[in-house]
Amino acid sequence: MFIQVLLEVIAVVALMLVVATGAVVGRRRIRRTVAEYRLRLRAVAPVFVILATVSMFNGVARQVVPDISWMIGWNLTWEIYDLEGEFILWLQSFATPPVTAYFSFVYIYGYVFVLVFPVVAYFALPDTRPLRELLSAYTLNYVLGLGCYVLVIAYGPRNIMPELVEALMYDTYPRFQHLTRQVNRNTNVFPSLHTSLSVTVAVLAYRTRDAYPRWFPIALVLAVSVALSTMYLGIHWAIDVVAGVGLAFISVTLSTRLVGRWSLADVRSHASKTRRIVTRGD
Amino acid sequence: MDSHPGDTEGRIDRRTVLAGLAAGGMTATSGCVRQVRSVVNRDGAEQLSLTITTVPSDADRESIRIARILRDNLEAVGIDVTLDMLAIEEFYRETLVNHNFDCYVGPYHGDMDPEILYELLYSSFADEPGWQNPFGVTSLTFDDRLEKLHESPDEGRPEHVAAVLDVLADEHPFVPLCVPEELRVVRQDRFDGWNDYHLATRLGYLDVEPLAVDGSDPPDELRGVVTDPRLTVNLNPLCVEYRNRGTYVDLLYDSLGTADSDSDRNEDESWSGDIYPWLAESWEWEDGDDGAGSDTGDTTDVTVTLRPETSFHDGEALTADDVAFTYRFIEDTSLGEGPVAAPSPRYRGKAAAVESVEVLDDRTLVLSVETGRKAAKRAFTVPVLPKHIWSDRTDEADVFGFARRPGATDAVVLDNVPPIGSGPYRFADSSERERLHLERFDDHFSLAVDGLPEPTVERFTTRVAPRSASAIELVEDNDADVTVSPLESYAVEMVSETESVRLHRSPSQTFYHVGFNLRRAPFTNPYFRQVFARLLDKAHLVEEVFEGYARPVATPLADDETWVPEDRRWGGNGGGDPSAPFIGSDGTVDVTRAREAFEEAGYRYDDRGSLLVVR
């Protein structure tokens, strides 16, 4: 069931990517990318390796995070609920089947698309800096997010008000549960990584609007929709979303500062220097 | 205090006046300070704050909803409420082990024998972890009546049950709410025989008959789906935090006897729950077969003969020694070696019927029991643990030698994966939060003895679905044969019954309740508990939260008809709950009447309507 749902998501997102690449990136850029891809790959390889390592570590860490949280974390569910429980209810009062269908689509497919497309689009730019910034911002989101998950235990609205919110996605489309439960543990709601990653993409889309004028409005709409969907579907509290936006800005700012500080050329020269020293020692 | 104004009387001059004034001033000052002290060191009456502990909806959808309704009702009568949502393991640890709660909402999964009253309420269990007296009840009246019930021969029990229920109706150490229906979805095109036994017990998954579909081979794999991932990480029979009904533990471990269910009963007929020999080939009561039982206070000897040539999954022989060890171990998992006794959090109440065990030979042992037969047989359902494994688990629980926990041993904190039992299925493989695979134990006695329910398939695989909706979908898509976890009530409507997919009903052995911590104010006060118990509209809860798939109850004994006198049953004495009638109607609390009830119980309200207490 999990594999089946996963394949379905991959197929739909792949289709979206093809269409968007055609419309946003354009043929000329694709042609040039085909010619230069080795060079660009080499430029982004280090940060890509870091992201891959972090996400692998993240996968393992998430198994133990709940155990650690229950020993040292703060359980803030009730505080959050007491503070803003009404807001989610208010948001849900607008529920209609088409809106639910839209937000369910955005939460699953739109989210994956909004994360993957900029990787493709920025790879198609001769300047690799946006891509490196994007990948480091993703990495920072995961690392900082994981830190919050260790410190804060919080169940989302659907876990405290099942009768009001759950009917929306998981019961309309029960198969999605197989997917999201694999990806998320139910105590990890603060902050919303869905929001922080989508907003990260939107912020970077704003910065690269000269290169991709069409992408910024799409990214903005999707990011706002993803943020709303997490609340509308009862998965996150408004506070999680606000924290997610904050995390996005922190991640983007940090990644801008970090990227370029150590360029690949530096690393290589450093490596060769080390090699020289090591070989000389022989 | 040295100066008294009276001392200066008769000698009136300026100095005296001044001195007098000064003294008076000092007196005034000291009086003032005394008054300040009296105020400062006095605790004012402030609003009562309570915490309701429960689990999130992912673990139990009904509990959190009841907790929220309860919270609304309590706030309406001026009590400040905090909801504490804990992961399910954490919930059981805080309530049943640490006793760190005000009140909680949750289910009790037991059996239907009135002996559960002894387990839940007997004073000397108050300081032990687990389902034995989690409320901290300490009452001479209760104990007196519970002892009589515990030691009563079978035929005298109804009278003693009624006597206990009388006290229970006044004391309200917990509020029984309702008995949910136990519904599951089964595929009957791959297996037949779902109706023979209760699907929460081991027998439910034995003797299911694989069906050959369209000339193909009959299936050799039974595919279950659960909505509770805990069994994929922990299979320790003694771990109260990880067990509900213990269905899988019962498949992995054998017990002397097993609860049977009448195969030909009607749906509304109650489940007999009688216990028949399982690992034991037979048992003989010292006083013969007439069932007269002993008089109160005496012990009876039962001679138990084990089946021949039984062994554990690791090949070690299972002998009477293991059985004797098990009963001793449950009473104290440190086996007397630790600084303090560490009773097992599970099976303790059941095993309490056994006074002593004497091993005669490898296959024979004599149990001395202090109870009637029915209660004694419950002790036969305790899983038999292999001595060669569990006798190494008697050390005090600690973390690398630090953070020692007196009163807990390795035995109650280990995951026990892989489990080594002697049951009809043995552990094959598991993946955390995803699946648990069992395989048939080919040396199991049930395969050799005619007439016993036996494992009919080679493999019993179980996967974890996030919720009932997806579990149902798995069965409907032919990816699973049975939802081993009962359906949550909201999902029942989603089942579309076909020729091959059917809704299966088992008699429920679960009741939802609000448990009070009698160790903590204000729950120390029975009058407070009495009014509290009347703030939940059980009939309304059943409709709202359980969508009608439950019935409201007035006592914890699900088997009303057999044990509960008519005037104590739900609907007795003019309708509703005879001992705790709801103050209000249709789920809405009558705030004025509820406040009056609290005021009658001695509580005060301030002008903003907050219920006040002095802490």
Side-chain angles (χ1 to χ4, degrees):
Chain A
M1 185 60 83
F2 171 60
I3 301 293
Q4 197 181 322
V5 178
L6 192 66
L7 287 176
E8 201 179 298
V9 172
I10 291 173
V12 172
V13 172
L15 188 72
M16 290 164 82
L17 286 175
V18 170
V19 173
T21 309
V24 172
V25 178
R27 228 173 266 168
R28 226 176 35 159
R29 282 209 179 93
I30 297 174
R31 232 175 278 141
R32 195 168 157 194
T33 307
V34 173
E36 295 177 1
Y37 78 99
R38 277 164 193 263
L39 220 70
R40 292 186 198 169
L41 273 183
R42 212 170 297 155
V44 298
V47 61
F48 188 79
V49 168
I50 294 175
L51 175 62
T53 317
V54 165
S55 22
M56 262 190 296
F57 170 75
N58 195 46
V60 180
R62 286 229 182 167
Q63 297 286 331
V64 285
V65 160
D67 287 324
I68 297 173
S69 298
W70 281 110
M71 286 188 277
I72 64 166
W74 297 291
N75 188 344
L76 296 184
T77 314
W78 177 252
E79 280 72 14
I80 297 175
Y81 172 78
D82 230 14
L83 208 63
E84 59 136 291
E86 302 300 312
F87 176 74
I88 299 294
L89 296 183
W90 174 79
L91 198 64
Q92 296 224 320
S93 63
F94 299 101
T96 59
V99 178
T100 306
Y102 170 73
F103 280 125
S104 302
F105 180 84
V106 164
Y107 184 79
I108 303 277
Y109 300 99
Y111 172 65
V112 178
F113 169 73
V114 92
L115 294 199
V116 179
F117 178 70
V119 178
V120 177
Y122 292 158
F123 187 69
L125 291 179
D127 178 9
T128 58
R129 190 180 166 95
L131 182 54
R132 285 182 288 145
E133 277 185 9
L134 178 80
L135 296 180
S136 10
Y138 283 177
T139 313
L140 286 162
N141 269 299
Y142 273 121
V143 172
L144 299 175
L146 195 68
C148 292
Y149 290 159
V150 172
L151 295 177
V152 177
I153 295 168
Y155 287 101
R158 69 184 179 86
N159 254 312
I160 195 164
M161 300 181 282
E163 75 284 11
L164 297 163
V165 293
E166 256 178 315
L168 289 181
M169 182 167 78
Y170 288 134
D171 291 332
T172 321
Y173 309 102
R175 61 217 162 99
F176 284 150
Q177 280 184 70
H178 297 287
L179 197 64
T180 50
R181 175 107 163 219
Q182 295 278 348
V183 181
N184 298 316
R185 290 289 285 267
N186 57 11
T187 43
N188 296 344
V189 302
F190 180 90
S192 157
L193 270 196
H194 259 70
T195 305
S196 74
L197 287 166
S198 315
V199 171
T200 298
V201 169
V203 172
L204 292 174
Y206 175 75
R207 291 199 187 164
T208 54
R209 67 192 182 285
D210 290 339
Y212 290 126
R214 284 182 196 168
W215 171 234
F216 174 60
I218 301 174
L220 187 64
V221 168
L222 278 176
V224 171
S225 298
V226 167
L228 281 177
S229 75
T230 62
M231 293 183 283
Y232 176 88
L233 298 170
I235 293 156
H236 284 293
W237 304 100
I239 289 173
D240 306 333
V241 170
V242 172
V245 173
L247 176 58
F249 280 99
I250 293 172
S251 301
V252 171
T253 313
L254 283 180
S255 84
T256 315
R257 296 213 177 156
L258 293 176
V259 168
R261 180 164 288 189
W262 302 287
S263 74
L264 188 64
D266 290 346
V267 175
R268 218 177 276 143
S269 73
H270 185 75
S272 60
K273 210 182 285 171
T274 318
R275 197 168 53 217
R276 274 203 302 278
I277 294 167
V278 171
T279 23
R280 204 175 295 163
D282 277 348
Chain B
M1 212 97 14
D2 291 324
S3 61
H4 298 280
D7 289 353
T8 57
E9 225 172 345
R11 289 189 276 149
I12 304 168
D13 58 14
R14 198 163 156 255
R15 271 170 84 184
T16 331
V17 171
L18 278 176
L21 275 174
M26 273 179 75
T27 315
T29 313
S30 68
C32 180
V33 171
R34 191 162 51 244
Q35 191 181 330
V36 169
R37 171 184 167 197
S38 175
V39 174
V40 166
N41 288 2
R42 183 182 304 263
D43 289 339
E46 50 184 55
Q47 189 179 20
L48 172 62
S49 301
L50 294 179
T51 302
I52 306 175
T53 306
T54 193
V55 293
S57 155
D58 276 351
D60 186 336
R61 190 185 161 94
E62 282 82 16
S63 288
I64 178 67
R65 292 196 61 196
I66 298 169
R68 277 182 38 241
I69 292 171
L70 181 59
R71 172 210 168 220
D72 289 346
N73 293 358
L74 289 171
E75 297 218 311
V77 299
I79 298 171
D80 177 50
V81 179
T82 304
L83 266 179
D84 195 12
M85 289 219 305
L86 300 177
I88 191 156
E89 308 92 314
E90 225 46 52
F91 168 73
Y92 283 125
R93 202 142 39 218
E94 281 297 275
T95 53
L96 301 183
V97 180
N98 298 340
H99 300 144
N100 183 19
F101 65 100
D102 289 340
C103 62
Y104 69 84
V105 178
Y108 172 83
H109 306 286
D111 55 56
M112 317 179 67
D113 193 275
E115 185 70 7
I116 62 168
L117 296 172
Y118 180 77
E119 230 172 284
L120 287 171
L121 304 168
Y122 194 59
S123 296
S124 69
F125 292 141
D127 205 36
E128 292 188 9
W131 275 112
Q132 49 276 13
N133 200 347
F135 320 111
V137 182
T138 41
S139 148
L140 296 173
T141 327
F142 257 136
D143 285 354
D144 179 49
R145 300 188 183 196
L146 287 168
E147 276 162 22
K148 284 186 179 135
L149 168 64
H150 183 60
E151 291 166 6
S152 159
D154 290 352
E155 66 278 4
R157 296 175 92 204
E159 177 199 332
H160 294 301
V161 170
V164 173
L165 292 180
D166 282 345
V167 199
L168 195 62
D170 285 337
E171 289 283 333
H172 294 291
F174 60 97
V175 189
L177 299 173
C178 63
V179 173
E181 288 193 35
E182 242 183 87
L183 294 161
R184 292 177 175 81
V185 185
V186 295
R187 273 202 90 80
Q188 47 185 15
D189 57 348
R190 276 170 46 93
F191 290 95
D192 199 6
W194 292 115
N195 282 339
D196 292 354
Y197 301 101
H198 198 295
L199 288 186
T201 67
R202 64 159 72 84
L203 296 192
Y205 302 91
L206 304 179
D207 258 7
V208 287
E209 188 192 329
L211 297 174
V213 189
D214 304 328
S216 63
D217 288 337
D220 60 358
E221 179 188 345
L222 181 61
R223 303 162 306 172
V225 51
V226 292
T227 49
D228 184 346
R230 283 178 297 161
L231 82 162
T232 61
V233 297
N234 177 305
L235 286 163
N236 184 342
L238 307 185
C239 252
V240 72
E241 304 100 299
Y242 289 87
R243 304 275 82 84
N244 280 343
R245 296 168 180 79
T247 314
Y248 284 85
V249 161
D250 279 356
L251 285 167
L252 292 160
Y253 289 84
D254 281 321
S255 46
L256 294 179
T258 194
D260 191 21
S261 55
D262 301 336
S263 46
D264 296 322
R265 75 193 143 69
N266 293 319
E267 260 184 11
D268 31 313
E269 245 182 288
S270 53
W271 183 54
S272 79
D274 274 346
I275 290 156
Y276 293 92
W278 178 247
L279 181 64
E281 193 173 59
S282 65
W283 46 64
E284 262 173 63
W285 304 84
E286 138 196 71
D287 50 7
D289 278 336
D290 59 347
S294 64
D295 290 336
T296 303
D298 289 348
T299 58
T300 318
D301 285 350
V302 197
T303 308
V304 177
T305 310
L306 300 183
R307 293 190 190 276
E309 289 170 24
T310 46
S311 66
F312 288 107
H313 298 157
D314 59 357
E316 295 280 327
L318 188 163
T319 66
D321 218 22
D322 293 297
V323 181
F325 168 80
T326 300
Y327 287 105
R328 200 153 61 93
F329 197 64
I330 284 167
E331 204 180 313
D332 178 7
T333 56
S334 76
L335 294 175
E337 287 164 20
V340 284
S344 160
R346 293 190 82 226
Y347 304 110
R348 171 83 169 114
K350 287 183 175 176
V354 177
E355 280 280 277
S356 65
V357 186
E358 191 191 343
V359 175
L360 298 186
D361 59 46
D362 273 0
R363 282 184 58 202
T364 332
L365 64 163
V366 178
L367 304 180
S368 289
V369 297
E370 56 178 350
T371 66
R373 288 193 182 183
K374 282 248 163 91
K377 282 194 203 165
R378 287 178 79 241
F380 297 167
T381 61
V382 168
V384 174
L385 305 173
K387 184 182 177 184
H388 64 278
I389 290 173
W390 291 80
S391 55
D392 291 339
R393 297 178 172 179
T394 54
D395 287 347
E396 205 168 67
D398 58 25
V399 182
F400 311 125
F402 299 100
R404 299 156 74 81
R405 290 290 177 265
T409 57
D410 289 344
V412 301
V413 298
L414 288 173
D415 281 343
N416 192 37
V417 177
I420 303 292
S422 63
Y425 281 98
R426 68 174 170 199
F427 178 85
D429 154 47
S430 72
S431 160
E432 285 202 7
R433 309 184 70 81
E434 283 172 20
R435 64 191 150 73
L436 169 67
H437 287 188
L438 307 181
E439 59 193 17
R440 179 163 58 199
F441 180 43
D442 289 323
D443 293 336
H444 195 257
F445 59 80
S446 62
L447 293 160
V449 179
D450 276 348
L452 277 185
E454 57 181 38
T456 49
V457 286
E458 258 168 54
R459 276 165 297 141
F460 181 14
T461 59
T462 303
R463 67 162 94 187
V464 180
R467 290 156 37 71
S468 286
S470 25
I472 294 170
E473 203 180 48
L474 287 173
V475 176
E476 286 180 347
D477 292 350
N478 200 6
D479 288 319
D481 299 312
V482 53
T483 58
V484 181
S485 310
L487 301 181
E488 298 162 280
S489 20
Y490 84 98
V492 178
E493 298 287 325
M494 295 177 188
V495 181
S496 36
E497 287 191 277
T498 62
E499 255 181 38
S500 39
V501 175
R502 196 171 52 83
L503 207 54
H504 179 281
R505 188 181 308 256
S506 306
S508 183
Q509 308 183 75
T510 298
F511 68 88
Y512 276 82
H513 62 290
V514 181
F516 300 140
N517 193 348
L518 272 62
R519 305 166 188 89
R520 281 190 188 175
F523 294 108
T524 42
N525 182 346
Y527 298 103
F528 181 83
R529 301 196 299 267
Q530 275 177 359
V531 185
F532 189 116
R534 298 182 57 194
L535 294 177
L536 274 174
D537 188 345
K538 299 178 186 180
H540 191 256
L541 281 185
V542 162
E543 288 312 315
E544 272 289 299
V545 176
F546 293 85
E547 312 203 3
Y549 293 102
R551 62 185 164 86
V553 289
T555 77
L557 298 178
D559 191 1
D560 263 9
E561 320 243 309
T562 319
W563 297 109
V564 185
E566 218 157 302
D567 59 338
R568 290 260 172 251
R569 283 182 209 162
W570 179 263
N573 246 353
D577 189 329
S579 53
F582 179 57
I583 309 180
S585 56
D586 295 327
T588 314
V589 177
D590 183 336
V591 175
T592 322
R593 274 178 55 214
R595 286 186 185 183
E596 280 167 14
F598 274 119
E599 278 168 346
E600 261 172 57
Y603 290 90
R604 290 168 292 170
Y605 277 93
D606 70 5
D607 49 2
R608 285 177 309 169
S610 303
L611 193 152
L612 303 178
V613 282
V614 180
R615 287 261 181 180

